[in-house]
Amino acid sequence: MEATPTAPPPPTAPVPLGALLPDRELGLRHLAGPAEADVHGVHASEMADPSPYLLGGELLLTAGAGLGTDPDGYVARLAEAGVAALGFGVAPVHERVPAGLAEACAQHGLPLLEVPPGTPFSAVARTVWRLMAGARTRELRRVTEAQQSLAAAAARPDPVPAVLSRLAASLGGHVTLRPDDRSAGSPPPAEAAAALRALLARVGRPGGPATATDQAGGWHLTAHALGGPAPAAEAAPELASKPVSKPAAEPAAEPASEPRTEAVRALGTATPARAPGDHTIASVAAVLLTLLTAHRPAGPEAAALTRLLLDGDPAAVLSPGPWHVVHARGTGDPQALAAALGTVLVDPRGDPVRLLTERDPGARPGWRLGVSAPAAPGALPAADAQARRALERAEAARAPLARHAAPGFSGLVGEAEARAHAAALLAPLSPVLRETLRGWLAHHGGWDRTAAALAVHRNTVRQRVARCAELLGRDLDDPDTRMELWFALRREGPPPGPGG
């Protein structure tokens, strides 16, 4: 019986169970169940059912005080909760591992380890954390080296194939660039290759995702859109190479019932295995390939830019307006975004992307926008600052677009926007965790005072606050984080009652 974790494992690389067994200082012995498993953490419990307090992937350590007379039910609950392995400490309660427990672990496919009397549970936990830290360090080093090698490849005379080759080597798999049909690395099996082609066809389309993942034939597949459609000369070279005359236009209109599709640049990867840093490496390569394959516009805007650089006066090259400054972050092509907003005035190199348009911008799929108030050419620096702050508010509220608001706190953070931000920020937390976090922040992080106010043990407060930090992905020791969470909790309303 295969256990399914109740929650996705953390991004840190797991520790193979087999790495613990050779450690002579621990003296662990494999008794039943599979000999291999991925351990994402360690938890000790003597409860009859610790599953409500588990995330999945743990090595659960117990002395069997809560085992009871139904070892099969005990193991079944652990397997259902996604426990990676069970470590049973002998001597304190049981002189040896109960035979019924070993049989249940073998039946449910849960690895069972014997922890000898001289091995403290904390020693097992420290070994797991040490191995995890080592694996994390190695993975960070691998990602850093891959980023550096990709940047070096992008600086070569023929950068696109160099980046593809370096990416394939870093991932240990196959990569392809569409619609160029350039690829590198060993090709995947036919089933995985067909699934990768289908995945590449999904990304970058109107209303479609910017990235997508899949699995086929035991291979891990990803697709990253690299921006807007490929130029016409690449998407349909036979049309770009022939002038269209009026006599030829009428016969060509016969197959007009078939929709015309534009080729979208996309990067695909196929790997037999997946490491925690692979997504980061592929994302860096996607950014580099987007820049390397981008087609920048030229023409009147280039002349305007030249005059602006030489004269230093926006009013000399721009119409009276009014103009909107837009700051944008997203996964799409900045040039395609500029076209959608009706402008060619875009700086795609920075973070965020900055644009200048006479249109009143609207939300765009795949982008988060901050829009300034309408401004004359001479007021563009102030409008640029307004757009930057508006983008910060859009990102905080997880909204597709935010506009410059009136001065003052209420104008900067409207009631509806603040409540939406609070709901999104606190969504991962249950009512009990929210109440605990509220009390902990109200008592300035004091464990004892919070425990007294909530009528729970201080260790319970510690566990709940640690769980909040894990679910939110935030450092609760950061004063900025505490301030943001406090305002979110205040905007959410009063704490739930005893029945909430």
Side-chain angles (χ1 to χ4, degrees):
M1 177 179 177
E2 184 179 355
T4 302
T6 57
T12 304
V15 173
L17 186 63
L20 297 174
L21 297 176
D23 193 320
R24 294 185 178 181
E25 293 186 3
L26 296 180
L28 304 179
R29 188 163 64 98
H30 176 247
L31 298 182
E36 284 298 334
D38 289 336
V39 176
H40 292 275
V42 180
H43 183 74
S45 175
E46 299 302 327
M47 299 178 64
D49 183 13
S51 57
Y53 303 93
L54 302 175
L55 299 175
E58 295 92 349
L59 168 59
L60 179 66
L61 301 175
T62 182
L67 183 59
T69 58
D70 182 19
D72 185 79
Y74 176 80
V75 172
R77 290 189 292 270
L78 298 184
E80 186 177 357
V83 170
L86 177 63
F88 195 91
V90 296
V93 180
H94 297 266
E95 293 185 358
R96 62 181 61 87
V97 178
L101 182 64
E103 294 173 359
C105 287
Q107 175 68 25
H108 292 278
L110 181 67
L112 175 63
L113 306 181
E114 179 187 80
V115 183
T119 301
F121 285 175
S122 59
V124 179
R126 288 181 181 179
T127 301
V128 170
W129 302 137
R130 174 175 54 81
L131 293 173
M132 290 181 69
R136 179 63 172 165
T137 300
R138 290 190 296 273
E139 187 63 18
L140 288 174
R141 185 181 298 115
R142 183 180 79 93
V143 171
T144 301
E145 292 174 352
Q147 290 174 336
Q148 293 171 346
S149 65
L150 288 169
R156 297 183 61 179
D158 196 2
V160 172
V163 169
L164 292 175
S165 245
R166 188 64 258 168
L167 177 61
S170 298
L171 298 181
H174 174 81
V175 299
T176 184
L177 182 64
R178 295 298 177 89
D180 308 63
D181 284 328
R182 298 185 183 184
S183 60
S186 302
E191 180 184 356
L196 181 59
R197 288 193 295 270
L199 202 64
L200 287 166
R202 288 177 51 201
V203 297
R205 302 289 181 185
T211 62
T213 62
D214 197 1
Q215 292 188 39
W219 283 58
H220 300 269
L221 314 174
T222 68
H224 300 256
L226 301 187
E234 299 182 20
E238 71 282 357
L239 295 179
S241 61
K242 297 180 181 179
V244 179
S245 61
K246 288 185 178 180
E250 303 216 352
E254 186 175 348
S257 58
E258 295 183 5
R260 179 181 175 182
T261 59
E262 296 178 306
V264 175
R265 288 197 184 279
L267 170 69
T269 72
T271 56
R274 177 170 293 174
D278 285 355
H279 179 75
T280 300
I281 295 172
S283 297
V284 170
V287 171
L288 290 173
L289 290 169
T290 298
L291 297 175
L292 292 172
T293 58
H295 292 261
R296 295 179 175 81
E301 66 276 9
L305 178 60
T306 302
R307 292 197 302 271
L308 176 59
L309 291 174
L310 294 177
D311 299 337
D313 181 11
V317 297
L318 296 176
S319 68
W323 292 87
H324 295 272
V325 178
V326 180
H327 282 210
R329 281 197 179 96
T331 55
D333 178 13
Q335 301 295 347
L337 174 64
L341 297 182
T343 183
V344 295
L345 300 177
V346 54
D347 177 11
R349 297 168 297 174
D351 181 23
V353 174
R354 298 192 300 170
L355 305 97
L356 190 59
T357 178
E358 287 185 283
R359 289 187 186 177
D360 186 14
R364 302 301 305 170
W367 290 93
R368 191 158 279 149
L369 307 181
V371 181
S372 73
L380 292 182
D384 185 63
Q386 293 173 1
R388 173 179 54 81
R389 291 193 297 269
L391 178 59
E392 292 173 352
R393 291 193 293 114
E395 291 179 325
R398 294 172 173 84
L401 183 145
R403 301 181 185 274
H404 174 67
F409 182 79
S410 60
L412 292 175
V413 185
E415 184 66 24
E417 185 179 27
R419 289 189 178 275
H421 170 60
L425 178 62
L426 302 173
L429 304 184
S430 65
V432 172
L433 291 179
R434 295 187 192 189
E435 182 183 6
T436 303
L437 182 59
R438 188 195 309 270
W440 184 71
L441 292 173
H443 291 90
H444 307 287
W447 306 109
D448 292 327
R449 288 188 297 165
T450 305
L454 298 176
V456 297
H457 195 275
R458 60 174 291 163
N459 287 344
T460 301
V461 175
R462 286 183 180 274
Q463 293 170 1
R464 291 180 182 176
V465 171
R467 180 64 171 151
C468 290
E470 183 178 7
L471 290 174
L472 295 171
R474 303 292 189 96
D475 179 10
L476 298 188
D477 290 330
D478 186 340
D480 289 338
T481 299
R482 293 193 183 191
M483 179 182 67
E484 183 182 7
L485 290 171
W486 177 250
F487 277 104
L489 289 164
R490 291 288 301 273
R491 289 289 183 175
E492 183 198 34

